[in-house]
Amino acid sequence: YADRTVPTYAWALLSSFLAALSWLAVQKFNWMVGYSGRLGTTAFAATNAAMAIMCGVGAVPWTVYGSAERTHESVLSLEPSLLFVLCSVVSATMGALSRLYAGIPVNPVLIPCQVAFLLMITVNTTGYQYSGACYNGFALGAYVAMASTKKLLTSVCAFGGAGMLAGLWGLALSPYFVGFGGKGGFTAFLGYTTYWLINAFIRGFGSLLLRICGVNESDTIGGEDGKVDGSSGPGLQ
């Protein structure tokens, strides 16, 4: 879809220039540090800015964002959709396992990419009919697995949950922004932030219930002094 979304090299240069400026701003102000899809989200925002300019001057039609003809029913089917979400979970989980239990400092970008690549090669040898859906899911899960292991996603289950939510967001966005740069990273970012919102809601609701029941929250996690014995490690919230 590159020829449809970016018709000439000049427009591609504009998109790249905006992406570079956006990334400089993200780094300067430390936005989204440790989030899944940080770089992709930056590229996606820049692509949207460039696309708005291109559509405004008539270089490309506004239908690049989506159209009435391109619906979920027309672009999605059951088996590939399920595989896409499942492969996102598998890739995010395996990427997290490789990082959390490596025993040594590892590159947070390289390791998930290697895991996703190995998974893609494995599926490719089978000649499976819906291998494309698997590849996209593996790539999305890799973006999720690049998140910091010391912030929100600190366990394998947390990465798997974020991978599943990212997969669902990927299905929801399937008819829209086709061919936009950074869409995969932005989808991973949505999965990450959705997991954060759900986690915050559950924790807040749990605390509210404890207060209603008259229970001291510190008593539920560390006894009378509210302290927890031992040290936290990978997989412990």
Side-chain angles (χ1 to χ4, degrees), residues 163-200:
M164 182 188 70
L165 291 170
L168 295 175
W169 272 112
L171 297 180
L173 293 176
S174 290
Y176 314 111
F177 309 106
V178 177
F180 280 41
K183 181 182 177 181
F186 177 66
T187 306
F189 174 78
L190 289 177
Y192 180 96
T193 52
T194 303
Y195 182 89
W196 177 82
L197 289 171
I198 294 174
N199 185 64

Side-chain angles (χ1 to χ4, degrees), residues 24-46:
L24 289 175
V26 167
Q27 287 187 310
K28 178 177 177 60
F29 297 104
N30 292 321
W31 291 334
M32 302 180 289
V33 175
Y35 282 40
S36 298
R38 183 189 186 203
L39 181 58
T41 301
T42 305
F44 184 72

Side-chain angles (χ1 to χ4, degrees), residues 105-228:
V106 295
N107 190 301
V109 175
L110 180 61
I111 296 301
C113 287
Q114 290 177 327
V115 169
F117 183 62
L118 289 174
L119 291 171
M120 290 177 186
I121 291 177
T122 302
V123 172
N124 185 62
T125 60
T126 66
Y128 182 52
Q129 177 183 1
Y130 298 118
S131 57
C134 296
Y135 300 156
N136 291 335
F138 291 146
L140 180 58
Y143 298 145
V144 173
M146 294 176 190
S148 171
T149 59
K150 300 184 182 301
K151 288 191 173 183
L152 175 64
L153 306 183
T154 57
S155 69
V156 174
C157 290
F159 275 93
M164 182 188 70
L165 291 170
L168 295 175
W169 272 112
L171 297 180
L173 293 176
S174 290
Y176 314 111
F177 309 106
V178 177
F180 280 41
K183 181 182 177 181
F186 177 66
T187 306
F189 174 78
L190 289 177
Y192 180 96
T193 52
T194 303
Y195 182 89
W196 177 82
L197 289 171
I198 294 174
N199 185 64
F201 174 78
I202 292 175
R203 287 178 178 272
F205 186 69
S207 298
L208 178 62
L209 285 179
L210 290 176
R211 287 197 296 270
I212 292 175
C213 296
V215 177
N216 187 342
E217 187 174 358
S218 63
D219 293 341
T220 67
I221 59 175
E224 294 180 357
D225 56 1
K227 297 180 179 179
V228 180

Side-chain angles (χ1 to χ4, degrees), residues 31-77:
W31 291 334
M32 302 180 289
V33 175
Y35 282 40
S36 298
R38 183 189 186 203
L39 181 58
T41 301
T42 305
F44 184 72
T47 301
N48 273 275
M51 203 63 61
I53 296 174
M54 285 187 275
C55 291
V57 300
V60 293
W62 287 101
T63 53
V64 294
Y65 284 96
S67 64
E69 293 76 21
R70 188 173 176 82
T71 63
H72 289 91
E73 291 78 9
S74 65
V75 300
L76 296 178
S77 55

